[in-house]
Amino acid sequence: MTALLGGLAASAQNLKPVSYADGSQKLNGLVTSNAGKKLPGVLILPAWKGIDDEAKDAAIALEKEGYIAFVADIYGEGNIPADNGAAAKLSSQYKQDYKAYQQRIAAALEQLKKAGAEKVVVIGYCFGGSGALEAARGQLPVKGVVSIHGGLAKAADRPNGPLNMAMLIENPADDASVKPEDLTNLVKEMNEGKADWQIITYAHSKHTFTNPTSPDYNEVMAKRAWQHTLMFLEEILK
């Protein structure tokens, strides 16, 4: 999130908790206070440690822009990583078992629809950015996806499929976790899938460049990325 959102963390208490489930796993998401209205919706997929301030601040900011926002719980109650090592292990499980990841995203999407959202875009940060791509690959019922410093690769043995939606990839130029061939392969995948796609690369930016609490934070580029996200949402949802 950007400096434009400074001070919004205190407002995150206005987010309403939503309990839902995927099978026997209890999930605890958050929805904005405008739930129940007929508005376009944004599903937010958080980074690898689960629901954090960046996801909450994004939800509050999106409510101010006229969207119902829902922050998804991917891991579920009792499974929140305590540190980076645990987060890496747990997020890797979902990256490998991408169908389970898609199922968790679909469960959150159902809650957003119940909250009144008619047209929906998925946005995600880091691990959630990988999830945004999985929402597209899984052909979930959304109008578009935004991957914000997400992992872009998929297993080499996974075939490319249809991607008939709008896709915005916000990629930091100095992200050590994204290899040049990952970008090349993603472009090929999006072209073969007939996606309406755009990649924006942010100079002098490392992996978590949008998060003010990260040493990677780049305020100028984070502000630009947020404006690009809002432009995308405006075009696709309104």
Side-chain angles (χ1 to χ4, degrees), residues 15-65:
L15 297 171
K16 300 177 182 178
V18 178
S19 293
Y20 60 115
D22 177 15
S24 62
Q25 176 62 60
K26 183 180 178 183
L27 304 167
N28 298 300
L30 296 170
V31 71
T32 46
S33 62
N34 56 353
K37 299 180 180 179
K38 295 296 182 183
L39 294 168
V42 181
L43 180 62
I44 301 171
L45 305 180
W48 68 346
K49 284 189 175 179
I51 295 175
D52 57 12
D53 284 343
E54 183 168 32
K56 293 175 185 177
D57 286 352
I60 294 295
L62 290 168
E63 181 180 10
K64 295 178 185 297
E65 297 289 336

Side-chain angles (χ1 to χ4, degrees), residues 166-183:
M167 301 178 68
L168 172 60
I169 315 301
E170 298 182 353
N171 182 58
D174 302 323
D175 190 340
S177 66
V178 175
K179 301 175 182 177
E181 57 265 32
D182 294 339
L183 273 171

Side-chain angles (χ1 to χ4, degrees), residues 131-155:
L133 295 182
E134 289 302 339
R137 290 167 178 150
Q139 289 292 282
L140 300 187
V142 299
K143 296 293 184 181
V145 301
V146 183
S147 176
I148 305 167
H149 54 79
L152 307 182
K154 65 176 175 62

Side-chain angles (χ1 to χ4, degrees), residues 2 4 65 168 170 202 221-233:
T2 76
L4 293 175
E65 297 289 336
L168 172 60
E170 298 182 353
Y202 299 89
M221 294 300 173
K223 286 181 179 180
R224 291 180 186 174
W226 183 244
Q227 290 304 313
H228 292 149
T229 298
L230 293 180
M231 288 171 60
F232 180 86
L233 296 175

Side-chain angles (χ1 to χ4, degrees), residues 99-110:
K99 289 187 178 179
Y101 199 0
Q102 292 170 353
Q103 186 168 312
R104 288 287 164 90
I105 297 168
L109 183 59
E110 183 179 349

